[in-house]
Amino acid sequence: MHEVSIAQSIIEIVSGQCRKGGYRSITSIRVRIGRASGIMPDALLFAFDAIKADSPARQAVLEIEEVCVSGRCRDCGRDFSVEGEYVLDCPLCGGLAFEITAGREMDVTDMEVEE
Amino acid sequence: MTGTVVEKITKEDGRVKVKVVTKILEANDRIALENRRLFDKARVFVVNLMSAPGAGKTSVLEKTLAQGTGLRIGVIEGDIAGSDDAERVEKFGIPVVQINTGGACHLDANMIYEVIGDLPLAELDLLFIENVGNLVCPAEFKVGEDMKVMLLSVTEGHDKPLKYPLMFQESSALILNKMDLVPYTDVDISKIRKDALSLNPNLKIFEVSCRTGAGIAEWTAWLGEQAGKG
Ligand SMILES: Nc1nc2c(ncn2[C@@H]2O[C@H](COP(=O)(O)OP(=O)(O)OP(=O)(O)O)[C@@H](O)[C@H]2O)c(=O)[nH]1
Ligand SMILES: [Mg+2]
Ligand SMILES: [Zn+2]
């Protein structure tokens, strides 16, 4: 639901970089979004396209790299990764002693620009 | 990964790629940290209270204020529009600030930063921030709180922990409100407890009714302990 504010933050970050580097415009932006971040990629794309008009990213394409929820189990010692948004027990051994190692990402990673 | 790493790479086809590794919420997190510094300096313990619309956030505040905790309490009310909630808690004669988000589905750190000056922080021990009613967004936006507390009213159903895992994972305590209504629903309280604890083994759970007052004493006692630590 807060994809609009996320899209706004992305635009602020890349616009700042665009000003700093003196680039003419931005053609694409890559972001990394974890499955457990509560962000829906489709909603983010929609929000981004809806608000990009008055920014240096007005022609930019947003590319979303989704990151699976992953963890490390202390019971069986193995690393795992799941399709869903959360982990209730280790999918390999059923153990409850695990730590989540990925899935909450929300980062801008890079952008392509015209100089 | 914090801060920004910038590196420019010109590819063979002449296109320019700029590496910009930045957390999307970095700006918000930075302001949240500044809020936290101001709260810490004034020795105010801050609770970010979150739930779906109508789960009973303002009712729990009213009960907590009526119960009396021995703490000097202030409240920030976050609503999309209106000041009804602020008027309800103002009756207790405590400092209250209303924020209208004008459509935004959550409070962010800057909205809090802008009203900190309107509160007599030096005269407070505990500050409640009642977030906008929403089970998704507030969990992601830090506002400078010491802890997050979420409410779930029993009429919302027992499937909520697994549908909205982030909120349960981020919270220190879960208040299961409207327990007086359990007999009129098919809600499975033990399933809520089990799923919520699987998502967050450290979650402290309180069964409360703002109608009958059940559970309020336990909640306020625990809250007092937490604020004392902070
Ligand atoms: N039966 C029953 N009703 C309750 C209880 N707690 C709150 N309510 C009712 O639920 C409704 C919503 O309560 P509020 O305290 O306004 O909820 P809120 O979470 O602050 O709502 P928003 O700020 O609008 O998101 C009111 O009509 C309350 O009287 C409870 O424990 N039992
Ligand atoms: Mg309210
Ligand atoms: Zn295992």
Side-chain angles (χ1 to χ4, degrees):
Chain A
M1 271 168 96
H2 52 298
E3 281 80 0
V4 176
S5 0
I6 299 297
Q8 239 147 22
S9 302
I10 294 171
I11 289 176
E12 275 161 30
I13 290 167
V14 297
S15 301
Q17 291 298 339
C18 194
R19 266 194 308 277
K20 246 201 289 184
Y23 311 123
R24 260 195 303 143
S25 65
I26 303 167
T27 49
S28 74
I29 302 163
R30 282 252 299 278
V31 297
R32 192 159 46 201
I33 303 289
R35 289 253 165 87
S37 68
I39 298 292
M40 288 169 51
D42 285 347
L44 180 57
L45 287 173
F46 183 81
F48 177 80
D49 285 334
I51 64 171
K52 67 184 181 182
D54 292 326
S55 78
R58 71 183 73 82
Q59 286 161 10
V61 178
L62 183 65
E63 293 170 22
I64 300 177
E65 177 196 340
E66 282 191 76
V67 183
C68 284
V69 177
S70 303
R72 173 164 304 146
C73 179
R74 283 192 289 269
D75 286 344
C76 70
R78 287 178 288 183
D79 293 334
F80 59 81
S81 149
V82 299
E83 282 304 305
E85 279 179 60
Y86 54 84
V87 178
L88 296 179
D89 46 31
C90 168
L92 301 172
C93 76
L96 298 175
F98 58 84
E99 57 199 274
I100 295 299
T101 52
R104 289 287 302 275
E105 294 75 3
M106 272 213 254
D107 307 306
V108 177
T109 55
D110 46 70
M111 60 190 203
E112 274 189 6
V113 298
E114 280 178 19
E115 289 190 291
Chain B
M1 185 172 43
T2 50
T4 308
V5 183
V6 182
E7 186 192 335
K8 199 166 121 184
I9 304 161
T10 307
K11 294 202 250 181
E12 277 149 28
D13 56 6
R15 289 192 299 170
V16 180
K17 186 170 156 174
V18 184
K19 268 195 162 323
V20 201
V21 182
T22 309
K23 281 189 181 303
I24 294 175
L25 292 181
E26 187 185 78
N28 186 73
D29 291 352
R30 202 167 350 104
I31 300 168
L33 219 65
E34 174 59 16
N35 292 348
R36 181 69 185 269
R37 201 186 60 77
L38 294 170
F39 294 140
D40 282 351
K41 208 174 89 189
R43 296 166 164 275
V44 182
F45 188 79
V46 181
V47 177
N48 183 358
L49 196 58
M50 313 178 295
S51 78
K57 296 178 293 301
T58 311
S59 302
V60 164
L61 286 182
E62 289 170 321
K63 286 288 173 193
T64 304
L65 292 164
Q67 171 84 18
T69 52
L71 298 167
R72 298 168 300 171
I73 301 179
V75 176
I76 295 178
E77 283 290 347
D79 287 289
I80 290 180
S83 59
D84 305 62
D85 287 359
E87 283 157 25
R88 281 166 65 186
V89 287
E90 231 161 26
K91 296 202 175 103
F92 292 85
I94 59 160
V96 183
V97 173
Q98 175 78 54
I99 297 177
N100 283 136
T101 61
C105 49
H106 58 269
L107 291 171
D108 64 31
N110 197 49
M111 295 177 196
I112 300 299
Y113 183 76
E114 284 177 348
V115 301
I116 285 182
D118 300 340
L119 283 163
L121 280 194
E123 292 157 31
L124 297 180
D125 303 311
L126 173 62
L127 175 65
F128 276 109
I129 300 178
E130 180 180 334
N131 220 307
V132 178
N134 183 330
L135 264 188
V136 184
C137 315
E140 202 67 73
F141 291 82
K142 295 189 185 94
V143 293
E145 68 276 59
D146 290 278
M147 70 175 183
K148 296 183 165 84
V149 171
M150 74 166 293
L151 268 85
L152 183 72
S153 54
V154 299
T155 48
E156 290 169 66
H158 47 240
D159 56 353
K160 292 303 167 291
L162 299 189
K163 274 194 181 157
Y164 301 96
L166 194 57
M167 188 68 89
F168 291 83
Q169 286 163 333
E170 286 286 305
S171 297
S172 302
L174 164 65
I175 298 178
L176 279 172
N177 189 33
K178 309 195 188 180
M179 286 299 290
D180 58 292
L181 298 179
V182 168
Y184 308 101
T185 70
D186 59 358
V187 68
D188 182 348
I189 299 292
S190 66
K191 177 164 170 56
I192 295 179
R193 282 183 164 273
K194 180 170 152 285
D195 289 345
L197 288 170
S198 300
L199 289 168
N200 179 356
N202 299 320
L203 190 69
K204 184 86 185 150
I205 303 177
F206 297 95
E207 294 182 7
V208 161
S209 166
C210 290
R211 187 55 44 88
T212 67
I216 294 291
E218 288 81 356
W219 147 250
T220 49
W222 180 80
L223 178 67
E225 274 171 36
Q226 299 306 305
K229 275 188 222 162

